[in-house]
Amino acid sequence: MRESAAQRNERIKAAKAPWDILPDIERYARDGYAAIDPEDRDVRFRAWGIYTQGDGAGVFGQAVPRFMMRVRIPGGILTTVQARAVAALSRRHGRGLADVTNRQNIQLHWVEIGDVPAVFRGLAEVGLSTQGACGDDTRNVTGCPVAGLDAGEVCDGSPVVREIDRRLNGNPAYGNLPRKFKICVAGCREWCCYPEINDVGMTAVRRGEQVGFSLRLGGGLSTAPRLGSRLDCFIPWAQAADVAEAVAAIFRDSDCLREHRHKARMKYLYLQYGWDDERFLREIQARLGAPLPPAVPEDLPPDGARDHMGIHAQRRAGLFYVGATMRVGRSHADQLDALAELADRYGCGELRLTNAQNVIIPGVRDPEALAGELETLGLPVSASPVERGTVACTGSEFCKLAITETKGFAAALAAELDRRIPEYPAESLRLHVTGCPNACGQHWIAELGLQGVRMPNGAEGYEVFVGGGLGRDAAFVRRLGVRFPADEAADRVEGLLRGYLLHRRDGERFRDFARRMPDPLLELWLGTAEAAS
Ligand code: SF4
């Protein structure tokens, strides 16, 4: 009987631990692409952050197969020395591209197998790695990018992010999970790293004088979106990494999840295997060997731009952090070098990458002057509303699962909408573009989500989703059942947004407007801009 995808993955991981293949990668680098064991290429490479690019034989008919390499950056905190190293590696081995992802990683593309060890070494020299950036392990642990700086944060969650990363990433005990495992630690009040859609989401709260975390489990998007549910517990600060480890162990030991690869995420323990919050709490406490205190009340953040963009005072008087929009995370070596130069000159020698694919320079004394320089670099601090809120997945440029191109499309659409609708309200529109139903562009939580589809004539098109959001009144988008060709997107979306501008209530965000309006009206406005009037 033919092996299923899940059986093949599990067999390959069991035969040799994915993190043990560094010597093999060195050998492949010497002997060339043809020498690569397909089982390493398809499964074990991922544990080292290496993915085949395009169809595995290169994209656009390239004769030499190439790879994507994802650099893991816990909490998105990067020194300028590290940023320059990534820029240099990108320039030398990746055609200068360095995309910022919505999990605070940087992705290099176009890397040949012969160059992979050089990338490993270049990253290791500055304390970075691709280990665990892809594959069936704990992915980059995300956190608030202004941790330790933000005047209003509940706590600086970055030590917890680093401790979870230290315990889980590279630890053989957690090197073969059923599938990817995503953890987020939010110390800020905005919950900017989206704890609701992670397998494990921790959000800082106070219990009297004690600082700790609330715990949400089983969040995720893809084809079966689920908001993480909150357990009745308070995690004392010092136990946060213990709890993360306990949940990782529960996930690892849930063999039922290893039977179907597309249902191997932790949320399926809730969705398919009858687990509930009480059972999770019991299992966690059993692994901790002691009960956790009950949950305490918490303030859910309002939905909206959770991105720390613009100029903000830091906790330390006289210092500011400055957030600039990167436009769908598309960056390159020269821009990274320029950002590092600005961060050294104006700031404290750090860059912070956000979950909305943007960048923040902290420790700044003259934010206005820095904002001017960032503007010149094409990284606006006061970005227009649509550009600021636009996110896109990798799409067909490099992703072999994609139905449509996304990054160029989303950036062009945002720019065109900003040009056509300069009167759009100051609050950003969270426009998420995703190239297939796998939802890496997170269209499920968008105010306006566009998912790539193939039109009947074979052209690239997009299906429209509206009204998603997190925080208070969290809900996933509503599918409108409207599809249009990609080249009609600007006209269609302009029509929809003009309908919003004409009929919205005072201060009403697009998300709430779209939730309030019946489908036929939204569909009418999606027809043309004239229909909106
Ligand atoms: Fe690729 Fe689809 Fe994920 Fe986009 S959503 S990166 S197209 S798998």
Side-chain angles (χ1 to χ4, degrees), residues 38-356:
E39 296 190 348
D40 283 344
R41 182 196 60 201
D42 298 347
V43 177
R44 300 187 191 99
F45 270 22
R46 296 178 184 184
W48 283 100
I50 307 168
Y51 251 93
T52 50
Q53 181 172 295
D55 61 4
V59 293
F60 311 134
Q62 292 292 314
V64 184
R66 311 279 183 146
F67 295 91
M68 179 277 280
M69 292 184 76
R70 186 177 292 158
V71 184
R72 184 181 178 102
I73 304 169
I77 301 176
L78 196 64
T79 66
T80 50
V81 171
Q82 291 173 325
R84 286 195 179 91
V86 173
L89 291 168
S90 158
R91 193 175 287 115
R92 206 170 308 137
H93 304 295
R95 298 192 185 180
L97 272 185
D99 283 346
V100 174
T101 77
N102 52 19
R103 283 196 74 77
Q104 300 172 303
N105 305 285
I106 294 181
Q107 289 187 172
L108 307 180
H109 292 281
W110 301 109
V111 182
E112 289 185 39
I113 187 64
D115 293 337
V116 168
V119 175
F120 283 158
R121 282 191 289 275
L123 293 172
E125 280 168 13
V126 294
L128 291 175
S129 172
T130 60
Q131 186 172 21
C134 308
D136 295 348
D137 44 39
T138 308
R139 299 295 183 86
N140 192 36
V141 182
T142 59
C144 171
V146 291
L149 311 172
D150 183 20
E153 70 185 358
V154 180
C155 72
D156 173 2
S158 61
V160 175
V161 168
R162 285 194 296 275
E163 178 60 11
I164 294 172
D165 183 73
R166 189 187 69 75
R167 290 207 204 173
L168 296 181
N169 189 32
N171 180 345
Y174 304 104
N176 178 7
L177 303 179
R179 254 197 93 191
K180 57 184 148 187
F181 184 56
K182 296 181 177 178
I183 301 178
C184 155
V185 179
C188 69
R189 295 180 195 278
E190 287 82 2
W191 296 10
C192 61
C193 50
Y194 302 149
E196 304 99 317
I197 55 169
N198 277 253
D199 295 291
V200 179
M202 295 190 189
T203 50
V205 283
R206 284 186 178 275
R207 183 172 176 260
E209 291 301 300
Q210 201 182 6
V211 172
F213 297 93
S214 295
L215 178 63
R216 283 176 170 71
L217 293 185
L221 298 179
S222 193
T223 50
R226 180 180 189 275
L227 291 171
S229 44
R230 188 180 179 208
L231 270 59
D232 184 14
C233 66
F234 169 84
I235 307 172
W237 169 275
Q239 282 185 277
D242 297 339
V243 170
E245 208 172 335
V247 182
I250 292 168
F251 181 47
R252 177 197 60 203
D253 297 343
S254 298
D255 286 337
C256 56
L257 294 175
R258 296 180 187 264
E259 288 168 15
H260 301 285
R261 198 141 174 85
H262 62 287
K263 292 186 175 180
R265 295 295 300 279
M266 211 177 75
K267 63 188 172 187
Y268 284 98
L269 289 177
Y270 282 101
L271 295 172
Q272 187 149 338
Y273 295 101
W275 284 55
D276 57 19
D277 295 345
E278 288 70 32
R279 178 164 178 194
F280 264 110
L281 189 53
R282 274 199 312 277
E283 296 275 348
I284 290 168
Q285 294 181 143
R287 286 176 190 261
L288 292 176
L292 291 164
V296 295
E298 64 177 7
D299 286 331
L300 271 69
D303 192 38
R306 294 180 173 193
D307 57 2
H308 302 292
M309 290 292 96
I311 296 173
H312 303 269
Q314 288 184 198
R315 187 187 299 160
R316 202 170 133 202
L319 292 181
F320 298 84
Y321 65 83
V322 179
T325 298
M326 259 187 165
R327 299 190 175 91
V328 298
R330 173 53 45 94
S331 187
H332 47 78
D334 292 349
Q335 191 180 65
L336 264 189
D337 275 339
L339 275 166
E341 204 270 317
L342 291 176
D344 281 340
R345 188 145 51 92
Y346 286 93
C348 59
E350 269 186 11
L351 295 174
R352 308 265 183 125
L353 308 177
T354 81
N355 288 268

Side-chain angles (χ1 to χ4, degrees), residues 3-14:
E3 217 179 17
S4 71
Q7 287 167 335
R8 179 171 186 260
N9 267 271
E10 291 303 318
R11 176 179 56 73
I12 292 171
K13 289 187 293 177

Side-chain angles (χ1 to χ4, degrees), residues 393-395 399 401-402 434-436 438-441:
C393 75
T394 297
C399 174
L401 301 176
T434 198
C436 81
N438 285 319
C440 305

Side-chain angles (χ1 to χ4, degrees), residues 25 134 430 484:
I25 295 177
C134 308
R430 287 186 298 96
F484 49 69

